[in-house]
Amino acid sequence: MPIVSLCPTVTPNPTDPADHLSAAPTTRTPESLAYSYAIPGEPHAVAVARTSVHNALAAHGLADLLPPALQATGELVACAALFEPGQVLYLSVGWQQEGVRIVVWDPHTRHVDPDGSAKCAARRSKMLYLLACVVHECKGSWGVIRPAPAREGTRVWVNLPRQGAADYAAALC
């Protein structure tokens, strides 16, 4: 398939514009899974995020990972939306080390008071208990990257290894 560029300094090969329309769709590989989304910190964002991740995984031949990946996505987005309602959240899903990595960023900043910061971290961990259970069953890992003092936002990430997540999904049926 020829490369088409809108950049005026790139001279694409002359081709018939219909060439790319008649080509059969190619199957994407898991290794090329790399998507990022900005989503609102509102209740409907969970459904939007789950639909986006579902479509991305299905397009890359990873339908066997859908149940745990969608559970993880829902938990991450719901928690972030509750910590920062009405704010823009960022969701990314990608392939890393033979598994799916899901990351949600919210603009919740570090508290100045150490006690407040500890309470906030404990509340987030408690809210993500179901996530922790799903990740454990998939033999994966998860964590929270808290903001540095001069930076904003909190990232929560999940790694779901393909085999563990597929085994978990198969056991649900």
Side-chain angles (χ1 to χ4, degrees), residues 35 40 42 45 52 111 114 119 121 128 130 132 138 155-156 158 165 168:
Y35 296 90
E42 298 176 8
S52 299
H111 296 274
K119 287 178 184 176
L128 293 172
L130 179 59
C138 292
R155 286 183 291 158
V156 184
V158 171
Y168 171 83

Side-chain angles (χ1 to χ4, degrees), residues 18-136:
D19 284 351
H20 72 282
L21 298 176
S22 61
T26 58
T27 303
R28 294 173 179 90
T29 64
E31 294 79 16
S32 66
L33 178 72
Y35 296 90
S36 294
Y37 311 92
I39 54 177
E42 298 176 8
H44 74 276
V46 172
V48 171
R50 286 172 52 100
T51 299
S52 299
V53 170
H54 179 278
N55 292 339
L57 292 178
H60 288 268
L62 297 168
D64 55 330
L65 308 183
L66 285 172
L70 297 181
Q71 285 178 317
T73 300
E75 293 297 312
L76 290 172
V77 173
C79 182
L82 288 170
F83 266 84
E84 288 295 333
Q87 300 296 313
V88 175
L89 312 174
Y90 293 93
L91 164 68
S92 68
V93 59
W95 186 255
Q96 183 178 359
Q97 299 174 359
E98 298 302 314
V100 172
R101 181 174 177 89
I102 303 165
V103 181
V104 172
W105 176 91
D106 65 64
H108 193 74
T109 59
R110 181 184 293 253
H111 296 274
V112 176
D113 173 33
D115 289 337
S117 185
K119 287 178 184 176
C120 189
R123 178 167 287 163
R124 189 181 292 261
S125 291
K126 187 175 182 178
M127 287 179 67
L128 293 172
Y129 181 74
L130 179 59
L131 171 78
C133 292
V134 170
V135 172
H136 174 77

